[in-house]
């Protein structure tokens, strides 16, 4: 059986100093659950500060995004090469926030599309990460409008086809996909667990059909308003191999309860 994976996505939260304090509390709270693989994706600035604290623990470090070229005149960007130099194990790509679809009314209109990730740039980022042996966490998911129009499955299929174009099955050891319905992210409105399970199995089937046995180690996570109170039911679904957790990963106690739910 695949080992479950729980990833904390801190987004743009916690200063480096606050991040250190939170990581210290995590190590204490999460350390005993070695059966579950745990990774934290803090803001870039925090990575070098928390790295020494995680050394020797089973908690791994991830980043929230990357740029696909190694270096150059790309103000504000951080390359996969730079992440590899910091021993980063995972990197989120194609999150609905970086795809530019915040799906939240309180984000100013001018900000929507700011990051503007496309199928093509998601694909380039994945290729760069694989080149540096960093496991991508590819996020896919439909908006509320797409769900209501009945195009959830075709939206996700298009995201998978775009993201994985030209990538060989031999490169997919440790690859991670997160099903994150945009309407469930940060809203408190979790996807019903049977539907989340169905889509996660749909994603695995797509990989199996495309790559065959090369994807035996693939893990498909669910993300979107995962909390301690709903994690157990979600993680019990066939096809859900863990969670990508935003808001609830900022508090050590809540996050450790989610990790526990993946274990017991
Ligand atoms: P949430 O975010 O858990 O706060 O809904 C999940 C994510 O965006 O990865």
């Amino acid at each position: 059986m695949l080992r479950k994976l729980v990833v904390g996505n801190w987004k743009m939260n916690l200063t480096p100093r606050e991040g250190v304090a939170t990581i210290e509390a995590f190590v204490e709270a999460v350390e005993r659950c070695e059966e579950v693989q745990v990774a934290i994706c803090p803001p870039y600035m925090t990575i070098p500060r928390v790295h020494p604290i995680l050394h020797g623990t089973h908690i791994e470090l991830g980043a929230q995004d990357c740029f696909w070229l190694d270096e150059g005149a790309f103000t504000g960007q951080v390359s996969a090469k730079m992440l590899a130099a910091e021993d980063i194990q995972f990197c989120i790509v194609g999150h609905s926030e970086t795809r530019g679809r915040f799906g939240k009314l309180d984000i100013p209109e001018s900000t929507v599309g700011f990051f503007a990730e496309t199928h093509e740039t998601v694909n380039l980022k994945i290729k760069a990460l694989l080149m540096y042996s960093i496991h991508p966490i590819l996020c896919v998911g439909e908006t509320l409008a797409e769900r209501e129009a009945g195009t959830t499955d075709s939206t996700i299929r298009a995201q998978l086809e775009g993201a994985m174009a030209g990538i060989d099955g031999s490169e997919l050891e440790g690859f991670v996909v997160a099903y994150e319905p945009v309407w469930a992210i940060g809203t408190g409105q979790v996807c019903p667990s049977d539907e989340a399970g169905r889509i996660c199995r749909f994603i695995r089937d797509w990989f199996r059909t495309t790559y065959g046995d090369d994807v035996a180690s693939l893990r498909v996570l669910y993300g979107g308003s995962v909390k301690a109170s709903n994690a157990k039911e979600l993680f019990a679904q066939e096809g859900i191999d863990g969670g990508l957790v935003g808001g609830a990963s900022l508090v050590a106690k809540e996050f450790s309860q989610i990790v526990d739910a993946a274990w017991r």
Side-chain angles (χ1 to χ4, degrees):
M1 212 174 91
L2 285 172
R3 194 168 165 221
K4 285 223 172 10
L5 170 66
V6 177
V7 181
N9 174 12
W10 283 5
K11 309 192 181 185
M12 195 176 71
N13 291 295
L14 306 180
T15 62
R17 190 188 293 250
E18 291 163 345
V20 166
T22 306
I23 283 283
E24 281 169 349
F26 274 179
V27 171
E28 219 165 278
V30 167
E31 218 5 12
R32 59 208 159 82
C33 300
E34 293 216 2
E35 291 80 355
V36 180
Q37 190 175 15
V38 179
I40 303 292
C41 303
Y44 294 128
M45 285 173 71
T46 305
I47 288 173
R49 296 277 290 274
V50 299
H51 206 282
I53 303 168
L54 295 182
H55 189 75
T57 75
H58 78 288
I59 303 173
E60 295 178 90
L61 261 178
Q64 298 174 17
D65 193 13
C66 71
F67 197 75
W68 58 90
L69 295 176
D70 283 351
E71 59 216 1
F74 303 102
T75 301
Q77 302 302 301
V78 171
S79 66
K81 179 185 181 185
M82 293 169 181
L83 297 178
E86 283 292 314
D87 287 331
I88 293 296
Q89 306 295 309
F90 294 94
C91 181
I92 295 169
V93 271
H95 193 283
S96 60
E97 287 154 15
T98 52
R99 283 184 198 262
R101 301 187 311 179
F102 281 87
K104 284 186 184 174
L105 297 174
D106 57 347
I107 300 283
E109 193 55 37
S110 57
T111 312
V112 175
F114 178 71
F115 297 96
E117 249 180 342
T118 63
H119 290 322
E120 194 196 353
T121 59
V122 168
N123 177 251
L124 289 168
K125 289 176 185 186
I126 291 174
K127 287 175 175 160
L129 290 168
L130 293 175
M131 189 153 67
Y132 286 101
S133 302
I134 297 171
H135 302 310
I137 302 173
L138 166 64
C139 299
V140 296
E142 80 288 0
T143 60
L144 188 57
E146 286 161 341
R147 174 156 286 270
E148 285 173 351
T151 58
T152 296
D153 295 12
S154 57
T155 297
I156 292 169
R157 189 179 306 113
Q159 289 170 339
L160 293 173
E161 285 168 0
M164 301 307 293
I167 295 172
D168 193 76
S170 62
E171 301 175 85
L172 298 184
E173 178 67 35
F175 201 89
V176 182
V177 180
Y179 168 51
E180 296 215 313
V182 180
W183 48 271
I185 295 175
T187 59
Q189 200 189 333
V190 67
C191 183
S193 56
D194 53 348
E195 173 65 359
R198 183 188 75 79
I199 305 249
C200 288
R201 292 193 295 279
F202 169 83
I203 291 168
R204 179 171 295 281
D205 284 348
W206 184 89
F207 272 85
R208 234 187 241 132
T209 308
T210 310
Y211 293 107
D213 291 341
D214 280 338
V215 290
S217 70
L218 173 78
R219 276 171 301 182
V220 185
L221 313 183
Y222 168 78
S225 296
V226 176
K227 306 257 178 301
S229 56
N230 59 28
K232 204 172 176 60
E233 188 183 330
L234 285 162
F235 298 160
Q237 291 293 317
E238 191 196 332
I240 300 185
D241 305 313
L244 178 55
V245 185
S249 72
L250 297 167
V251 180
K253 186 156 180 261
E254 175 92 7
F255 189 62
S256 71
Q257 286 169 353
I258 293 171
V259 174
D260 269 359
W263 172 34
R264 290 166 209 265

